[in-house]
Amino acid sequence: MPSSLNNVWLIAKREYLERIRTKAFLLTTILIPLLMGGGGYLAGVLASRTHSTAHIAVLTASTGAGKLFGNDLKHELESAEDSQMTVDVADDTPAARARLDGLMKTGGEHLSAYLQVLPPANPAARPKFIYKPRSSSDIGTFQAIQSGIKNVLTQERLTTLGMKPSEIAALNAPVEIETVGGSTTAAFFGAYGLFFLMYMVIILYSMNTARSIIEEKSSRVFEVLLSTITPDEMLAGKILGVGSVGLTQVGVWMAAAGILGGAFAAASGGLHGQSIFSVGQLVSFVAFFLYGFMLYSSIAAALGAMTNSEQELQQLNMFLVMPLAFCMLCLLPIIKNPDSTLSRVVSLIPLCSPLLMNFRVSLGNPQPWELGLSCVLMTATIFGILWLSSRIYRVGILMYGKKPNLPEILRWLKYS
Amino acid sequence: MPIVELLNIRKAYDTKVAVEGLSLTIEPGTMFGLLGPNGSGKSSSIRMMIGITRPDSGTVNLFNRPFDRDALKRIGYLPEERGLYKKMKVLEQLVFMGQLHGLAAHVAETRARAWCERMQIADAIDKKTEELSKGMQQKIQFISCLLHEPDLIIMDEPFSGLDPVNATLLMDTLLDLRKQGKAILFSTHRMDQVEKLCDEIAIIYKGKLVLEGSMKAIKSSYPANRIHVHFTGDASFLDHPAIASAKTYTGLAEIVLNDPHAAQSVLARAIEQGAVITRFEVTEPTLEEIFIATVGESVDA
């Protein structure tokens, strides 16, 4: 046994040192946080500056309430906080409609849509609206108009009830809530960030595990290795070695983030000294991260053992990506209700636990038994997959030049 | 005490039987040649010997004991498909292989340096493998399976791809190791090398053993009915009635006799007819001929 552990250690050490010395490691360590941070910042900036700037026309009755509504809507859409449209108000005549229809066909004046406001059947009812867009999939413009109409209607109604414009504005101002113990928004985005970090590193390094096995197959080194060590030791060594590289990378990022965060807190006078993440969150992240790594690396190892080239591996990628994509789909329901039955169930699925249970630790209140159960399930799954992988590996590495089909792989499981 | 003992081993992959009823024994201090056409089961047999695959039935004994992974530390294996880590430096690579065979790092390093000196590749010791020539890589691999001073050395086609100078260097090293009492098993297609080096041979064909024994015994079991003549002048003596067949090259004839005792009479006829003989040799068939004859017979059977 000690000799077998020693072999695993030797393989892992070699794998680790070879990878960590590469330029690729250095580059990804520096570039990924830059890209992620930069991308996040850019997306934020863009989102805050993106307003609907479409050019639309509003056709109203030529007099009275209709005309008033048209002008109010124009004001709302042209100068409201999140809308910078150009709005033409015109009388609703067949000639005007024909002109606008023509413009929409030719694309003249960059007209995106026009809105017909028909007077209400009785004074207490709302007017009727007919919306005619140039492209029916332009949802941004549609939503801006929809909320604009609603605001204008509310304002008009409040005015008729006798409220002053300043009172209406005060009523519509955003509410400010101060959260005790740090900002909820920051904590949420922190948890979100951790989710994507884990997602990315898992994909990146499980692919690396698969690649490292293919590389070994194509260089034929393993046949020499197999004359002293077992395929299981080799597999374990590879997973540990490649996995440690990933952990090192994440470690570097976390340390850098910690130092930067600390420096930032110190610079801002220690007022916002609380960290975004609690100790429990970090412990959970590291634990689930390790589990995720082991799970997906062992799947990747099996995929690597089945294939002979990168190209073949690409075709099998979906086995790695699909469970992860499923986790993404489950994000929304979990954000809405972290402790619902649905959230509980999906976060217990072993392939999803690393990402989802960890997410719930940040957002909700998973019970200790849930955490325990998910760990037990994941451990069992890891052993199961490793058992399968090592069998596929054992036979697969000695079969080269030939791509196995499913029945063959099933037959391999019977050999040993 | 036999180093390797295979007893009636069998291995089948799906429908194809790779090895069937194979038994052989390798003693210490022996150079053992494993011969056979491509796909005859040589590599499968070797893989079972060192536990890469397990036989379906039969027994593998190593060092006089049933197969045990601990025994693998006493074996050096050079597979036919060469493989080294391309990005690793030569010394690192050798130390790594040594450690996998149970050596301490510093021991492995000392030995690796000594071996590189001996194999005349000391200059390459700090280079990456991918920067080296194929022949050099092969020498490194050769060293990597000898570092841990194995008692059994298994080499699949050890001389393929080597120039004559390096092939001789490797052969001399192997002969030296045999002198130290190591058992060496190698498989090759080069019959001249086997003939020169091996004490024992086994020929496998279609997964079965078709011939096994000491080189001397096998050769002497065939009649000395071959003549190699180097000559100039008239070649008409080749019409001699005792000659079954003759191949003539420039100044050389390879003759097969009907009657092994007719050699003298062929020589007399040649002189009589005015050929100038510079060399005249009566011998057993070459290993190559034996190989072709044996494998050919099995094909007929």
Side-chain angles (χ1 to χ4, degrees):
Chain A
M1 267 302 129
S3 119
S4 124
L5 278 181
N6 191 40
N7 287 342
V8 173
W9 162 246
L10 282 170
I11 298 277
K13 190 175 95 178
R14 197 205 73 82
E15 201 72 37
Y16 181 81
L17 288 179
E18 182 167 294
R19 270 156 206 284
I20 215 141
R21 285 177 192 159
T22 57
K23 291 200 182 70
F25 177 78
L26 198 65
L27 276 179
T28 49
T29 307
I30 296 171
L31 283 183
I32 288 186
L34 281 184
L35 286 176
M36 268 178 80
Y41 180 73
L42 207 66
V45 168
L46 284 177
S48 68
R49 292 206 179 154
T50 307
H51 307 297
S52 181
T53 54
H55 176 203
I56 64 161
V58 179
L59 299 178
T60 61
S62 54
T63 53
K67 191 80 189 166
L68 201 63
F69 177 83
N71 286 332
D72 282 347
L73 186 60
K74 176 180 163 78
H75 177 78
E76 171 77 19
L77 290 179
E78 283 185 344
S79 56
E81 218 177 310
D82 52 354
S83 167
Q84 287 173 343
M85 293 190 188
T86 314
V87 182
D88 300 332
V89 183
D91 293 344
D92 189 5
T93 61
R97 277 204 299 273
R99 192 182 79 87
L100 291 174
D101 281 334
L103 280 178
M104 298 250 281
K105 253 187 210 126
T106 58
E109 293 179 25
H110 300 291
L111 192 69
S112 304
Y114 71 83
L115 182 75
Q116 240 183 307
V117 186
L118 303 177
N122 63 69
R126 286 178 165 186
K128 195 177 169 210
F129 302 98
I130 298 173
Y131 178 68
K132 190 157 182 198
R134 194 159 163 237
S135 150
S136 51
S137 55
D138 183 357
I139 191 164
T141 308
F142 177 77
Q143 282 177 341
I145 293 176
Q146 197 178 30
S147 78
I149 291 174
K150 200 176 144 216
N151 287 349
V152 172
L153 287 176
T154 315
Q155 278 165 27
E156 287 187 344
R157 180 55 55 97
L158 290 176
T159 312
T160 48
L161 288 178
M163 274 179 102
K164 282 180 222 150
S166 60
E167 286 172 329
I168 297 175
L171 201 63
N172 282 338
V175 183
E176 279 184 22
I177 305 174
E178 199 172 301
T179 312
V180 178
S183 151
T184 309
T185 321
F188 173 75
F189 281 108
Y192 215 62
L194 285 185
F195 178 91
F196 279 100
L197 183 69
M198 199 192 276
Y199 180 90
M200 246 171 46
V201 178
I202 282 180
I203 284 211
L204 194 68
Y205 280 92
S206 51
M207 287 309 288
N208 276 354
T209 309
R211 238 176 256 133
S212 126
I213 283 170
I214 291 178
E215 186 191 305
E216 192 111 21
K217 279 171 81 167
S218 54
S219 76
R220 315 289 306 133
V221 183
F222 66 86
E223 185 148 359
V224 187
L225 301 188
L226 284 186
S227 69
T228 50
I229 62 174
T230 63
D232 301 9
E233 288 161 11
M234 211 161 121
L235 193 70
K238 285 219 163 263
I239 293 177
L240 286 179
V242 178
S244 313
V245 177
L247 283 181
T248 308
Q249 196 157 53
V250 175
V252 171
W253 292 339
M254 300 274 253
I259 291 168
L260 282 180
F264 186 73
S268 60
L271 274 178
H272 303 288
Q274 309 111 318
S275 134
I276 304 175
F277 306 116
S278 67
V279 176
Q281 254 177 310
L282 289 181
V283 169
S284 142
F285 177 75
V286 172
F288 280 104
F289 184 71
L290 285 176
Y291 268 117
F293 234 107
M294 298 289 288
L295 264 172
Y296 283 89
S297 298
S298 47
I299 300 178
L303 297 183
M306 276 185 243
T307 48
N308 289 308
S309 66
E310 291 255 340
Q311 287 91 325
E312 281 175 40
L313 180 66
Q314 311 262 313
Q315 297 168 1
L316 296 178
N317 267 354
M318 58 169 184
F319 287 108
L320 282 180
V321 178
M322 268 181 6
L324 291 172
F326 177 75
C327 293
M328 293 278 250
L329 283 180
C330 295
L331 262 188
L332 211 60
I334 293 185
I335 291 173
K336 290 242 158 93
N337 191 349
D339 295 320
S340 69
T341 316
L342 176 70
S343 304
R344 283 169 182 232
V345 170
V346 291
S347 65
L348 280 176
I349 299 173
L351 286 178
C352 300
S353 289
L355 287 166
L356 298 182
M357 192 61 91
N358 182 53
F359 198 52
R360 282 186 61 207
V361 169
S362 299
L363 259 62
N365 278 312
Q367 300 298 308
W369 69 261
E370 287 183 279
L371 295 177
L373 181 60
S374 80
C375 288
V376 170
L377 286 177
M378 282 191 290
T379 310
T381 313
I382 289 172
F383 276 105
I385 296 178
L386 274 182
W387 182 82
L388 278 179
S389 299
S390 77
R391 301 210 132 201
I392 294 178
Y393 190 61
R394 215 177 291 174
V395 187
I397 49 175
L398 291 175
M399 305 245 169
Y400 30 94
K402 189 163 157 277
K403 197 180 161 191
N405 51 29
L406 191 64
E408 264 173 324
I409 290 170
L410 291 179
R411 230 172 301 142
W412 291 359
L413 297 181
K414 283 188 272 174
Y415 296 152
S416 61
Chain B
M1 181 197 83
I3 300 275
V4 180
E5 206 173 4
L6 302 183
L7 295 172
N8 205 17
I9 56 169
R10 177 181 199 279
K11 179 82 186 173
Y13 294 102
D14 286 343
T15 51
K16 190 180 176 287
V17 178
V19 177
E20 172 106 67
L22 179 68
S23 300
L24 53 84
T25 310
I26 303 174
E27 298 288 340
T30 323
M31 193 83 88
F32 193 103
L34 189 60
L35 315 175
N38 295 325
S40 55
K42 284 175 300 189
S43 294
S44 297
S45 309
I46 290 177
R47 282 177 177 172
M48 281 187 274
M49 230 178 266
I50 54 178
I52 293 182
T53 51
R54 253 176 266 167
D56 300 338
S57 64
T59 324
V60 178
N61 290 331
L62 291 177
F63 306 105
N64 223 7
R65 281 158 54 187
F67 179 86
D68 173 4
R69 292 202 70 84
D70 280 344
L72 295 177
K73 297 247 188 300
R74 296 172 65 187
I75 299 178
Y77 173 50
L78 178 77
E80 183 179 2
E81 302 265 0
R82 313 282 189 251
L84 289 167
Y85 290 106
K86 291 193 194 80
K87 304 275 176 203
M88 262 181 129
K89 289 184 180 164
V90 171
L91 188 64
E92 285 175 357
Q93 187 128 226
L94 288 173
V95 170
F96 172 67
M97 295 291 186
Q99 283 181 299
L100 278 182
H101 284 98
L103 293 183
H106 66 278
V107 178
E109 185 176 334
T110 318
R111 288 190 194 171
R113 286 186 188 279
W115 269 106
C116 286
E117 205 70 52
R118 181 167 171 186
M119 295 319 267
Q120 302 161 3
I121 48 169
D123 303 340
I125 212 157
D126 281 320
K127 287 192 181 151
K128 282 185 181 170
T129 314
E130 58 187 355
E131 298 165 11
L132 303 179
S133 73
K134 231 184 141 188
M136 275 187 151
Q137 294 192 16
Q138 192 150 342
K139 285 205 234 172
I140 292 162
Q141 195 143 27
F142 185 77
I143 295 173
S144 77
C145 58
L146 298 176
L147 272 187
H148 54 294
E149 302 183 340
D151 295 311
L152 170 63
I153 299 157
I154 299 176
M155 299 196 161
D156 218 344
E157 295 285 349
F159 309 114
S160 69
L162 283 181
D163 62 56
V165 177
N166 282 320
T168 312
L169 186 63
L170 249 63
M171 267 184 227
D172 291 347
T173 313
L174 286 181
L175 287 172
D176 210 38
L177 289 165
R178 175 179 63 177
K179 220 182 285 169
Q180 295 168 23
K182 318 279 190 195
I184 299 158
L185 167 79
F186 69 89
S187 82
T188 175
H189 298 107
R190 294 280 304 273
M191 296 299 160
D192 53 329
Q193 289 167 348
V194 178
E195 199 152 4
K196 218 152 79 181
L197 294 173
C198 291
D199 313 303
E200 301 254 342
I201 59 162
I203 298 180
I204 305 185
Y205 184 66
K206 289 195 172 166
K208 287 183 186 151
L209 193 67
V210 288
L211 189 65
E212 195 216 351
S214 81
M215 185 72 93
K216 270 189 203 141
I218 288 177
K219 289 203 93 174
S220 62
S221 72
Y222 286 81
N225 63 349
R226 301 294 200 274
I227 304 175
H228 293 178
V229 203
H230 289 243
F231 69 99
T232 51
D234 191 359
S236 58
F237 68 91
L238 295 175
D239 298 338
H240 192 286
I243 293 178
S245 67
K247 285 182 202 160
T248 42
Y249 307 94
T250 344
L252 165 69
E254 286 179 8
I255 300 166
V256 181
L257 296 174
N258 296 325
D259 170 12
H261 305 295
Q264 299 305 316
S265 117
V266 171
L267 179 60
R269 169 79 70 94
I271 294 169
E272 190 181 304
Q273 295 190 342
V276 180
I277 312 286
T278 50
R279 187 169 165 216
F280 188 88
E281 185 187 18
V282 182
T283 98
E284 300 99 4
T286 59
L287 187 58
E288 189 165 348
E289 286 168 316
I290 296 175
F291 177 78
I292 293 171
T294 317
V295 169
E297 270 167 36
S298 319
V299 174
D300 300 338

